Amino acid sequence: MLVNIFQCLNTYLQSQIIGQPALVKQLLIALLADGHILVQGPPGLAKTRAVKVLSDCIEGDFHRIQFTPDLLPSDLTGSDIYRPELGDFTFQAGPIFNSILLADEINRAPAKVQAAMLEAMAEKQITAGRQTYALPKLFLVMATQNPIEQEGTYPLPEAQLDRFLLQLNIDYPNEDSELEILRLNRGEAQGVVKQKPIHINQESIFEARKSVLGIYMADDVEKYIIRLVMATREPNRYSNRLTLWLDMGVSPRATLALDRCARAHAWLEGRDFVTPDDVQTMTYPVLRHRLLLSYEAQAEGIDADSVVKHLLNQVTSV
């Protein structure tokens, strides 16, 4: 069964990326839900390794782009190159034409580059000159940003943040995980291979996505998703705190994302139906980057996760 293959993939990834179980699972959910993921955390927490190990298991090309302030859109998308022997221009595809793309420190790129990413993520195409080029059918972007160093960065606009299916905040591993990382790294340096990687072709991924969409979701669970979304737009109906903390609610993309991610979460758990727990689990990564917090919330030290927690306490699942 397809779900068994992906569960084995999850197990393998967990054995290679120690101490970051949430990162591994959310990467698989993004893959199954056909979306992109934004990962925020300090350097050195296996963000690059996670995508690289995943790409080694999947049929498709992988490319890592280090975003810098001097990056140009053509460095990402490619450009027309003049061929003297042909007397004409031909398009030279850029690194964005890969199935799995790691956009490292995406917030260090200027607005023009971010705009090029916006088109690619939203429409799976890029425009160079007067021509539009389709990206691969399997196209997954994992972007990272460092929450510590903000000097020389360009904050992502709300429109681009909304294009990310999920945002995951990761932190340092615990003591036991740190020891496992040490031993795994030493074993790799010595050429010791403990487990063979799992290989999945693209057709299996597309088939799995169809299975995820076929997961049963009861009317009450659908209405629960709608109530959560509407509570961000009409907070006065639920809580004075929400009214004070929120400047703007989430878009219909959040509704669609929460639906797809809850289904993918249930499917990975081996169930053929979605529960309110699936919705609640996925509410944090789906909503945290889409909520626009007020100055009052920021002054009180209230972050997006605190707002989501309060939201889940106020909106009942029945």
Side-chain angles (χ1 to χ4, degrees):
M1 291 178 63
L2 273 176
V3 65
N4 293 333
I5 295 174
F6 276 84
Q7 286 173 343
C8 289
L9 175 60
N10 182 38
T11 302
Y12 171 73
L13 293 175
Q14 299 283 4
S15 72
Q16 300 300 306
I17 302 134
I18 309 299
Q20 300 294 350
L23 173 59
V24 170
K25 192 164 190 178
Q26 300 299 345
L27 262 178
L28 290 180
I29 287 174
L31 181 66
L32 290 167
D34 192 15
H36 311 291
I37 182 169
L38 176 64
V39 180
Q40 183 167 283
L45 296 186
K47 299 186 288 290
T48 302
R49 178 183 174 88
V51 182
K52 184 65 173 69
V53 173
L54 177 64
S55 68
D56 289 341
C57 299
I58 292 175
E59 177 190 12
D61 298 322
F62 165 78
H63 197 92
R64 173 183 177 273
I65 304 173
Q66 181 64 51
F67 281 67
T68 56
D70 60 347
L71 200 68
L72 298 175
S74 58
D75 295 330
L76 186 68
T77 62
S79 59
D80 290 325
I81 304 296
Y82 182 71
R83 304 289 185 186
E85 65 276 15
L86 301 176
D88 202 355
F89 287 90
T90 58
F91 180 69
Q92 181 70 43
I96 204 169
F97 286 88
N98 286 276
S99 294
I100 301 179
L101 185 71
L102 174 61
D104 213 359
E105 295 191 286
I106 189 173
N107 57 330
R108 293 199 178 278
K112 285 185 177 181
V113 177
Q114 292 183 6
M117 284 294 296
L118 187 68
E119 181 186 13
M121 292 167 59
E123 303 174 40
K124 289 192 176 181
Q125 66 178 35
I126 63 99
T127 302
R130 297 181 179 179
Q131 296 295 320
T132 298
Y133 302 92
L135 293 173
K137 186 178 179 183
L138 176 64
F139 181 62
L140 170 68
V141 174
M142 177 176 143
T144 71
Q145 56 181 13
N146 183 350
I148 301 172
E149 294 182 23
Q150 296 301 319
E151 186 176 350
T153 62
Y154 303 81
L156 298 178
E158 285 75 16
Q160 183 160 2
L161 286 172
D162 202 26
R163 260 53 173 205
F164 284 101
L165 184 75
L166 306 168
Q167 178 183 324
L168 186 63
N169 297 337
I170 62 175
D171 207 346
Y172 293 107
N174 59 30
E175 187 175 340
D176 292 336
S177 296
E178 198 82 18
L179 181 60
E180 284 189 63
I181 292 169
L182 177 64
R183 291 171 175 171
L184 176 65
N185 184 264
R186 185 167 59 235
E188 289 178 344
Q190 294 171 344
V192 178
V193 179
K194 291 186 177 181
Q195 189 175 351
K196 292 183 179 179
I198 294 171
H199 295 288
I200 300 177
N201 60 38
Q202 292 191 15
E203 287 305 314
S204 296
I205 295 172
F206 299 141
E207 204 54 45
R209 287 176 177 177
K210 290 180 182 178
S211 298
V212 167
L213 291 176
I215 290 288
Y216 175 73
M217 182 181 288
D219 291 346
D220 288 345
V221 179
E222 283 187 335
K223 291 175 182 176
Y224 180 43
I225 290 175
I226 300 302
R227 288 199 300 274
L228 286 170
V229 170
M230 295 307 296
T232 70
R233 301 177 193 170
E234 302 173 0
N236 56 303
R237 292 174 51 190
Y238 293 89
S239 165
N240 290 333
R241 287 187 179 180
L242 283 179
T243 305
L244 183 66
W245 290 342
L246 288 175
D247 264 356
M248 185 178 296
V250 297
S251 75
R253 283 197 190 94
T255 309
L256 301 177
L258 195 49
D259 173 79
R260 296 205 312 272
C261 291
R263 291 175 190 270
H265 186 272
W267 190 83
L268 271 179
E269 293 291 319
R271 285 183 276 106
D272 60 358
F273 61 93
V274 181
T275 68
D277 286 342
D278 295 314
V279 175
Q280 291 167 6
T281 300
M282 297 312 304
T283 299
Y284 285 93
V286 169
L287 295 191
R288 64 163 58 104
H289 58 296
R290 292 181 163 95
L291 295 173
L292 189 60
L293 304 187
S294 66
Y295 289 115
E296 288 85 349
Q298 296 174 45
E300 290 181 35
I302 301 298
D303 60 10
D305 281 3
S306 300
V307 176
V308 173
K309 182 178 180 180
H310 186 71
L311 179 73
L312 290 172
N313 289 334
Q314 295 299 312
V315 181
T316 59
S317 59
V318 291

